[in-house]
Amino acid sequence: MGPICVAKHLAPHLPGHTGAEQDITSAHGTGAVSAAPFGSASILLISYGYIKMLGKDGVRMATEYAILNANYMRARLEKKYKILYTGTNGTCAHEFIVDLRPFKTSAGVEAEDVAKRLVDYGFHAPTLSFPVPGTIMVEPTESEDKAELDRFCDAMLSIHDEIMDIQEGRSDKTDNALKNSPHTQQMICADEWKHPYSRQSAAFPLHYVVHNKFWPSVARVNNTYGDRNLICSCEPVESYAS
């Protein structure tokens, strides 16, 4: 929610809204893209309420904690991962970008593999491949305590060890915990286990996972199949005959 800024020559092509008191739809515009002429103003209430509750000092403190949290995690992870776009002193703002592209060449591991593997550690992956393809962008905000920050860092460092096992030949390059992640309860409890790594390392890679395990309901899917193949979920015409 906010202003849309474009160069002057693109202004005639901006979307408008036919229901506005003043017609803001140009001859070349695309018409309405929202039910309300200027978007949903209710979105702003969340930010407004948050700022009002915190107050001037609270907003500043929240910002300081967000920056501190991000730099704490950056400092822990930069020993194993390349961090992009840091400042002149090697620091970041409230978020930082972890570059996973080198592992595609060295171990055949991509950013998506790391994102899926994080599910086995109990985490929904942070922003994937934005704004840089092949990376993850970590934004801890001000709301996470140090134990939670450490838990995520421990997971990322453990995943780095798994990548190194692949890179150095200790793990199979195609049949490994990253490529097969996430692991469902059905996979782990099945009578048959054909993978060269253990069930324990697949489902419980760190000690804290044992005490608070999140089981994904679905294993890995082809993320792009549905985008590239039209699948109709409607009833067949024959069903309407009855």
Side-chain angles (χ1 to χ4, degrees):
M1 184 69 186
I4 300 175
C5 302
V6 299
K8 187 176 181 179
H9 69 284
L10 293 176
H13 302 280
L14 287 175
H17 199 278
T18 56
E21 293 182 5
Q22 182 181 358
D23 185 12
I24 54 175
T25 305
S26 70
H28 303 288
T30 58
V33 295
S34 173
F38 301 104
S40 175
S42 62
I43 297 172
L44 298 176
L45 293 175
I46 301 172
S47 303
Y48 178 74
Y50 184 71
I51 293 170
K52 287 292 288 184
M53 286 189 293
L54 285 176
K56 177 183 176 182
D57 294 335
V59 170
R60 180 183 178 88
M61 183 178 293
T63 303
E64 291 171 346
Y65 272 113
I67 295 173
L68 178 64
N69 286 349
N71 277 282
Y72 172 74
M73 298 180 75
R74 172 199 55 76
R76 283 203 63 189
L77 296 180
E78 69 182 0
K79 301 182 178 86
K80 300 294 183 179
Y81 294 97
K82 180 182 179 182
I83 309 299
L84 299 181
Y85 308 127
T86 54
T88 54
N89 296 321
T91 56
C92 63
H94 65 289
E95 60 192 14
F96 60 95
I97 298 173
V98 180
D99 190 2
L100 301 172
R101 292 172 296 183
F103 304 123
K104 182 176 182 179
T105 302
S106 64
V109 172
E110 302 191 45
E112 181 182 351
D113 299 320
V114 175
K116 302 289 188 184
R117 182 58 171 153
L118 278 170
V119 179
D120 288 327
Y121 286 82
F123 289 101
H124 187 292
T127 305
L128 175 65
S129 290
F130 177 84
V132 182
T135 68
I136 58 173
M137 184 169 67
V138 182
E139 185 177 6
T141 75
E142 72 284 356
S143 60
E144 306 295 348
D145 59 23
K146 184 175 179 295
E148 186 70 2
L149 303 182
D150 282 329
R151 196 166 72 90
F152 182 85
C153 289
D154 290 343
M156 286 296 294
L157 294 174
S158 178
I159 289 174
H160 183 271
D161 291 340
E162 294 173 345
I163 295 173
M164 290 301 100
D165 286 341
I166 300 170
Q167 184 173 303
E168 296 169 9
R170 293 186 292 272
S171 293
D172 188 88
K173 199 164 187 177
T174 57
D175 189 0
N176 55 69
L178 280 106
K179 288 295 182 182
N180 296 325
S181 62
H183 298 81
T184 63
Q185 191 173 42
Q186 183 179 5
M187 293 169 62
I188 298 300
C189 297
D191 292 336
E192 193 173 25
W193 180 261
K194 296 182 178 180
H195 305 297
Y197 57 97
S198 69
R199 300 173 195 248
Q200 175 75 23
S201 62
F204 306 103
L206 288 177
H207 68 280
Y208 72 75
V209 184
V210 177
H211 302 294
N212 188 24
K213 174 64 180 177
F214 168 79
W215 288 104
S217 57
V218 180
R220 186 172 298 214
V221 297
N222 186 333
N223 289 344
T224 61
Y225 183 86
D227 298 328
R228 296 172 178 169
N229 298 271
L230 180 63
I231 302 172
C232 181
S233 60
C234 55
E235 290 284 339
V237 176
E238 291 77 14
S239 66
Y240 295 98
S242 58

